[in-house]
Amino acid sequence: MSDLSLVLLVNFLGIQMVYTLECFHCYVKPPPRSPFEPAPEFEPLCSRFDGSDSFLVNCTQSTFCMTRTYRLQLRQGSPDVVIRERGCAQQVYSYQSLERGQWRTVTSVVEETYSAGCLEDTEWAGQLATETQWCYCDSDRCNDANDEGE
């Protein structure tokens, strides 16, 4: 079956296809867990990032992938450590709405939050800047490069 035939069949049946963005995701340190909970088989730590499919997630509440790059100096005179985190851009906005006398949580994705490209906090934080760089992109697996913004 061709892609066009599949789209026509889906439209005919009234099924809505939902597109989700695939982004690479990793974190700097594992999230806290109970001491009685077994360690997961795989933790997507950024120090182990290799660009493999095991680091992929579907960003159901985002239209952009994100890469955050910053440097840490561990001790005086030692070289800086470059840390690069990856994930889905935070675009979810939740608020309470009163409908028919009942409060309910409304969640929406704010698509206008970001645009593709990179920015550094020195551009808006002035002297409080940490020289952190955020890069946003809007295609599948676009946050895989190790040299973004450098």
Side-chain angles (χ1 to χ4, degrees):
M1 182 180 286
S2 72
D3 289 341
L4 180 59
S5 299
L6 180 62
V7 169
L8 291 174
L9 177 64
V10 167
N11 288 336
F12 175 74
L13 295 175
I15 301 170
Q16 283 190 326
M17 292 180 65
V18 177
Y19 172 76
T20 60
L21 184 66
E22 267 191 343
C23 297
F24 287 100
H25 171 78
C26 65
Y27 43 80
V28 174
K29 64 180 188 172
R33 66 174 190 268
S34 165
F36 305 109
E37 188 177 319
E41 289 182 31
F42 174 76
E43 288 185 310
L45 296 174
C46 293
S47 60
R48 298 182 187 153
F49 181 76
D50 59 3
S52 68
D53 288 356
S54 58
F55 286 90
L56 284 174
V57 294
N58 285 319
C59 299
T60 58
Q61 295 185 330
S62 184
T63 58
F64 282 90
C65 298
M66 178 275 309
T67 304
R68 176 181 175 220
T69 305
Y70 57 98
R71 298 177 187 279
L72 288 179
Q73 185 175 8
L74 299 178
R75 61 178 178 253
Q76 196 68 20
S78 67
D80 291 351
V81 175
V82 176
I83 297 173
R84 188 168 285 115
E85 299 171 327
R86 293 173 171 81
C88 306
Q90 297 295 315
Q91 292 177 261
V92 174
Y93 176 64
S94 295
Y95 58 94
Q96 295 292 312
S97 176
L98 184 61
E99 294 179 12
R100 298 184 190 145
Q102 296 286 327
W103 287 102
R104 72 177 195 102
T105 302
V106 177
T107 302
S108 61
V109 176
V110 183
E111 293 186 28
E112 301 82 26
T113 305
Y114 304 107
S115 59
C118 297
L119 73 104
E120 290 192 22
D121 63 358
T122 53
E123 296 171 23
W124 52 269
Q127 292 179 330
L128 299 175
T130 60
E131 297 183 21
T132 299
Q133 181 183 60
W134 285 271
C135 292
Y136 300 97
C137 53
D138 57 0
S139 59
D140 283 337
R141 303 173 182 220
C142 60
N143 64 340
D144 65 341
N146 282 327
D147 58 351
E148 289 172 289
E150 291 185 348

